[in-house]
Amino acid sequence: MTTRSTITALVENRPGVLNRVVSIFRRPGLNLDSLTVGRTDRSEISRMTMVLEGTKADAQHVMRELNRLIHVITVEEMNGTPYVTRDLALIKVGATVENKSEILQMCGHYRARIVDAAAASILIEVVGEEPEIEGLVGLLEPFGIIEMVRAGVVAMARAEHVLDTHCESSSWAEQRRSLSKAS
Amino acid sequence: MQLTGAEIVWECLIREGVDLVFGYPGGAILPTYDTLSSYPQIHHVLTRHEQGATHMADGYARATGKVGVAMATSGPGATNLVTGLATAMLDSSPMVCITGQVPTSVIGHNAFQEADITGVTLPITKHNYLVTSVEELAFCIREAFYIARSGRPGPVLIDLPKDVQIATTEFHYPTDEIRLPGYRPVPEAPEDKIERARALIRSAERPVILAGRGVLLSGAMDELRTFAESTETPVGLTLLGKGCFPEDHPLCLGMMGMHGAGEANHAVQEADLLLAFGMRFDDRVTGNLATYAPKARKVHIDIDPSEIDKNVEVEVGIAGDLKATLQEMMQGLEPIEHSDWIKRIARWRDESEDRELLNQVLQSPELKAAEVVHDLWTLTGGKAITVTDVGQHQMWVAQYYAHSPEHALITSGGMGTMGFGLPGGIGAAMGRPDDEIWVVAGDGGFQMTLAELATAVQEKVKVNIALVNNGYLGMVRQWQELFYEKRYNATPMVSPDFCALAAAYGIPAVRVTERDQIEDAVRQAQAHLDGPFLIEFVVEQHDVVFPMVPAGSDLHDMIRRPRENSPSEKEIQP
Ligand SMILES: Cc1ncc(C[n+]2csc(CCOP(=O)(O)OP(=O)(O)O)c2C)c(N)n1
Ligand SMILES: [Mg+2]
């Protein structure tokens, strides 16, 4: 039975890491439905959120293999603990004088913002959980979506639960970092 | 001290304790080769193919426990390493490969002899590096050795662009303790899980230990033996575990799995507790997972946490170093007896003995590969290091050569790489020059890497080669015989006159066609001390390795050797 699993990971911020991570999904032919990577409060560590469409066994396989990668510091599947997810979409829809106010009203329900308005289109930014974004997209479709982009899902556990960095900084890691910066 | 990247390579290798490098030069690695003569501490072995270099480094690593080193140029040199890296990866063999690469300024431009070797080898190395500045070179090399040998060992590749080899920097060897944020090579076995394992062990009536290569890698041979004896638990071996437990020990069940001993497979299927020590439940060991050891609870100890619950779900999974974990587990574990269980196993063993080829009065006069291996075992006193190729002969070595901790089996198990034998044996012989080395290869696999005969001659490597010539890709022929209605497509094989071939390399060789010629041939080989010696054993062509569990079948569902000719049944006849 396929489900969606949300996996978060802390990884070293260096060349090639993304390739190594993505290869874990590619090898058994799994589909990464969403993938985001960005910096954390520590410049040497990036945080990834991966949404996998697959079976429970697929998710377990991915977790095991990700843990083996030297550059992956921590991996966690977001289940058990309550967590927050957010996606962001920019949606450009065709707009006429007649339907503009209707579109604006819908945006209001979804706390979406108009970030650009032109003669024949408006550009809408919406932030929320995936179902919310999909809800708004569904409502906007009849007006004609000209183009759309999504940032991908980011996730974080609620309350005290944090992704453990495990890594007190070592002199070895410090030296390595200063060298790769120099190059 | 200002040094070039090329010089830093050798300086670092020396500091990592390397004195032997297997390799093959070419344009992109030439600056490094150019400085080789300044480092007499390093002996470079010119192989005849880069694949040979990797198998030699691998065989060296398996025989010595040290990291094997191979070197190659960019492009085709680097891609020739692929099979050897994958072989080392699947068998957890520590290896560092250094490849030349085109200059950093043209990487990605399809420059002459450019191959994206870090991309290619990503899934078949434990880790790999593209070194983009000479300043980080020493760090990369030290890390590479650390990663290759720590935790669960494996191969690491360092890709070294030509301009980085030429550039200079102030060299100082980093000696700080290596700590990598995402790498915890030796997990700490949690005490509560060890206690749960103890409880299962205390309550078990039919326990079996499954011992794998992890026992050898962890150096837990004494602990395994003490544990097995004090809990009266029989020990089944994986192919790569052969040697971790003495095979003449009454508790030894022999090898398990597809070509395992009947008693080993039956014991696993009837067990109420499996104790998996440093093994990974490979499909060649388990057969059909759905019916595998159905009555058993399972305890799995492995240094690699990703192996726990991967193929077989277990009641207690312990990620940790086996030696330390067993030591701790045995504290607080009182001696246990299982005499009924041992008696039951003895009956399975009797059946195996009854069906045993060597106990039968044979109809055909042709030499059997099993006889060859058995006699090799007796003539070497079990004290040779056996290095095999892949196929039927490999399984016969596993079945008929009893291994021990000092003389464990060296073979490509996980990858089943034909062509491993000869170069693997050369590497092992160079790592342990005082030991007797026997390469056992088939006529097929031998021809995949036989060019390395010249390497053995050039290096005067004392390696004995037992070539088991059955005129077929025998193992594939066996599958065709049993499962493909004897359609022998693409398995009969014409070979050169192997003795004449050996002579062309200046290697003495003899051909053996009958059993009573074996001893003399082996003694000749043993007496020949300066360089390789080859014996061609011409054996029965249509022999089959028994028992056999067909791929995907239940482990107890073995095709056994027919027993019509056994002496016991003969006696009954008038
Ligand atoms: C590189 C490679 N190619 C193909 C195979 C598939 N294969 C496994 S055993 C075997 C036959 C080996 O024949 P030979 O070396 O003569 O040994 P024998 O089985 O006859 O003892 C083959 C082709 C393999 N394991 N490795
Ligand atoms: Mg053959």
Side-chain angles (χ1 to χ4, degrees):
Chain A
M1 204 192 55
T2 63
T3 53
R4 282 164 75 78
S5 310
T6 305
I7 296 167
T8 54
L10 294 175
V11 303
E12 286 189 65
N13 178 11
R14 53 157 84 217
V17 177
L18 184 59
N19 189 192
R20 290 174 196 276
V21 167
V22 170
S23 287
I24 302 290
F25 292 82
R26 176 201 52 79
R27 186 165 167 184
L30 294 174
N31 189 34
L32 254 178
D33 200 49
S34 167
L35 167 68
T36 58
V37 199
R39 290 198 170 184
T40 63
D41 52 317
R42 291 167 65 174
S43 63
E44 74 276 16
I45 297 179
S46 301
R47 181 162 171 148
M48 307 178 76
T49 307
M50 295 156 268
V51 180
L52 167 70
E53 220 162 311
T55 62
K56 275 261 152 287
D58 291 335
Q60 281 162 4
H61 168 83
V62 164
M63 297 283 296
R64 271 198 300 268
E65 293 302 309
L66 286 174
N67 264 312
R68 294 180 85 181
L69 294 178
I70 307 275
H71 292 323
V72 171
I73 299 164
T74 318
V75 195
E76 231 177 74
E77 193 186 341
M78 290 298 200
N79 56 9
T81 55
Y83 63 102
V84 179
T85 65
R86 286 292 179 273
D87 196 353
L88 178 151
L90 294 176
I91 311 165
K92 197 182 283 175
V93 285
T96 59
V97 183
E98 296 83 54
N99 64 19
K100 208 169 221 163
S101 67
E102 202 182 335
I103 294 175
L104 289 181
Q105 209 178 5
M106 285 170 187
C107 289
H109 293 319
Y110 284 86
R111 280 169 284 115
R113 295 199 305 146
I114 310 298
V115 289
D116 187 44
S121 69
I122 52 179
L123 180 52
I124 299 161
E125 172 203 283
V126 58
V127 176
E129 297 192 355
E130 283 187 291
E132 295 178 57
I133 292 175
E134 266 134 39
L136 179 59
V137 169
L139 291 177
L140 291 175
E141 246 155 21
F143 299 95
I145 294 178
I146 298 166
E147 63 174 336
M148 174 172 128
V149 61
R150 284 170 71 163
V153 178
V154 292
M156 187 177 277
R158 291 180 185 272
E160 284 78 35
H161 188 91
V162 290
L163 261 189
D164 189 357
T165 59
H166 285 295
C167 60
E168 346 80 86
S169 57
S170 66
S171 66
W172 180 268
E174 293 293 332
Q175 287 185 61
R176 287 285 278 127
R177 250 194 314 280
S178 65
L179 285 173
S180 23
K181 265 194 211 117
S183 68
Chain B
M1 195 178 17
Q2 286 286 122
L3 293 184
T4 64
E7 291 164 326
I8 290 172
V9 168
W10 301 118
E11 293 283 348
C12 290
L13 292 187
I14 290 165
R15 285 169 176 78
E16 293 297 334
V18 175
D19 51 13
L20 202 55
V21 173
F22 304 93
Y24 210 103
I29 193 72
L30 208 43
T32 297
Y33 271 90
D34 188 45
T35 56
L36 173 59
S37 45
S38 313
Y39 298 93
Q41 308 95 308
I42 301 254
H43 178 67
H44 179 271
V45 176
L46 176 67
T47 62
R48 295 302 180 270
H49 189 294
E50 290 86 354
Q51 181 184 351
T54 55
H55 293 328
M56 285 181 209
D58 187 347
Y60 172 89
R62 296 187 202 214
T64 61
K66 294 194 271 184
V67 179
V69 180
M71 195 176 273
T73 191
S74 65
T79 55
N80 275 349
L81 303 177
V82 166
T83 303
L85 285 166
T87 304
M89 181 71 179
L90 278 197
D91 290 349
S92 308
S93 189
M95 192 158 96
V96 168
C97 289
I98 299 174
T99 47
Q101 180 56 282
V102 301
T104 47
S105 56
V106 294
I107 290 181
H109 294 221
N110 285 343
F112 177 65
Q113 293 197 327
E114 180 187 356
D116 173 12
I117 200 63
T118 48
V120 169
T121 60
L122 196 113
I124 52 168
T125 49
K126 185 171 172 185
H127 196 57
N128 65 21
Y129 295 88
L130 172 65
V131 184
T132 50
S133 75
V134 70
E135 286 77 24
E136 56 175 341
L137 177 57
F139 284 85
C140 290
I141 296 178
R142 186 144 178 252
E143 258 181 42
F145 275 85
Y146 164 69
I147 290 172
R149 65 163 78 97
S150 57
R152 178 181 184 172
V156 179
L157 179 132
I158 303 170
D159 200 20
L160 196 51
K162 197 168 185 178
D163 54 322
V164 177
Q165 298 169 51
I166 295 165
T168 56
T169 186
E170 181 68 24
F171 173 68
H172 80 101
Y173 188 64
T175 50
D176 312 51
E177 187 201 350
I178 303 182
R179 265 196 283 152
L180 305 175
Y183 182 56
R184 286 170 292 278
V186 187
E188 191 93 24
E191 171 55 35
D192 60 320
K193 290 198 174 171
I194 294 180
E195 182 47 38
R196 277 170 56 205
R198 281 195 204 105
L200 291 182
I201 293 164
R202 284 191 196 104
S203 63
E205 290 174 359
R206 301 184 308 282
V208 176
I209 293 168
L210 321 181
R213 175 155 154 82
V215 179
L216 291 161
L217 288 170
S218 165
M221 289 77 83
D222 290 343
E223 285 75 12
L224 170 63
R225 186 177 177 150
T226 312
F227 178 90
E229 287 173 352
S230 76
T231 59
E232 204 179 17
T233 305
V235 180
L237 303 168
T238 68
L239 177 65
L240 289 186
K242 281 209 61 169
C244 76
F245 189 73
E247 287 185 61
D248 54 5
H249 196 286
L251 286 170
C252 190
L253 295 170
M255 186 170 70
M256 308 173 287
M258 182 173 272
H259 294 294
E263 57 268 37
N265 289 347
H266 282 308
V268 167
Q269 291 302 77
E270 289 301 313
D272 67 352
L273 178 65
L274 296 189
L275 298 165
F277 294 164
M279 57 83 75
R280 60 187 178 88
F281 292 105
D282 181 82
D283 52 271
R284 288 296 188 261
V285 164
T286 62
N288 181 7
L289 278 175
T291 57
Y292 179 67
K295 302 166 192 169
R297 295 201 271 188
K298 291 150 191 120
V299 174
H300 190 180
I301 307 176
D302 200 283
I303 199 162
D304 181 352
S306 79
E307 291 297 346
I308 310 280
D309 288 332
K310 187 176 92 176
N311 296 330
V312 170
E313 282 204 23
V314 298
E315 274 68 27
V316 182
I318 301 175
D321 173 59
L322 185 64
K323 188 182 176 83
T325 308
L326 280 183
Q327 279 171 352
E328 193 174 335
M329 198 153 80
M330 281 190 284
Q331 287 176 11
L333 200 60
E334 40 303 310
I336 306 173
E337 283 176 24
H338 295 292
S339 48
D340 287 345
W341 177 226
I342 298 296
K343 274 186 213 130
R344 213 170 140 195
I345 290 172
R347 288 199 290 278
W348 289 316
R349 185 168 287 158
D350 288 344
E351 183 187 354
S352 296
E353 284 298 314
D354 213 25
R355 294 175 182 275
E356 172 49 54
L357 171 85
L358 297 180
N359 297 338
Q360 302 201 14
V361 179
L362 297 176
Q363 307 290 313
S364 96
E366 283 163 298
L367 184 61
K368 301 275 190 196
E371 295 170 333
V372 172
V373 177
H374 173 269
D375 292 1
L376 192 60
W377 170 63
T378 52
L379 293 168
T380 56
K383 292 198 163 48
I385 296 177
T386 46
V387 185
T388 78
D389 213 87
V390 169
Q392 290 184 311
H393 64 279
Q394 176 190 33
M395 292 301 118
W396 279 313
V397 171
Q399 293 178 339
Y400 291 95
Y401 202 102
H403 293 92
S404 61
E406 302 73 40
H407 302 98
L409 173 65
I410 296 180
T411 194
S412 167
M415 194 73 182
T417 304
M418 281 174 73
F420 174 83
L422 176 61
I426 294 172
M430 296 194 83
R432 288 172 67 170
D434 297 330
D435 280 282
E436 183 176 345
I437 311 285
W438 279 89
V439 170
V440 183
D443 43 336
F446 181 68
Q447 292 186 72
M448 283 200 170
T449 51
L450 67 76
E452 303 305 342
L453 286 175
T455 310
V457 171
Q458 183 167 352
E459 295 292 331
K460 295 194 171 55
V461 182
K462 175 55 197 149
V463 57
N464 305 296
I465 303 159
L467 181 58
V468 180
N469 186 357
N470 55 9
Y472 275 99
L473 298 175
M475 185 55 93
V476 180
R477 192 208 63 78
Q478 166 164 348
W479 283 50
Q480 290 169 328
E481 175 178 335
L482 297 176
F483 314 120
Y484 294 90
E485 296 170 330
K486 304 193 179 180
R487 287 185 292 276
Y488 298 139
N489 296 338
T491 46
M493 185 161 209
V494 171
S495 291
D497 175 339
F498 286 113
C499 293
L501 180 88
Y505 283 98
I507 297 172
V510 295
R511 178 173 294 123
V512 167
T513 54
E514 274 160 53
R515 191 166 186 185
D516 61 10
Q517 300 167 335
I518 295 177
E519 175 161 10
D520 183 52
V522 170
R523 296 295 178 224
Q524 276 188 59
Q526 288 170 327
H528 179 76
L529 293 177
D530 52 336
F533 191 99
L534 185 143
I535 307 175
E536 182 196 359
F537 294 97
V538 180
V539 299
E540 190 199 318
Q541 298 206 332
H542 293 90
D543 204 357
V544 171
V545 181
F546 292 111
M548 176 170 196
V549 181
S553 293
D554 305 339
L555 191 59
H556 50 267
D557 196 5
M558 288 170 273
I559 307 174
R560 308 293 301 254
R561 182 177 286 281
R563 47 146 71 102
E564 301 95 73
N565 297 329
S566 67
S568 53
E569 266 143 316
K570 272 222 125 125
E571 280 163 24
I572 308 167
Q573 290 163 12

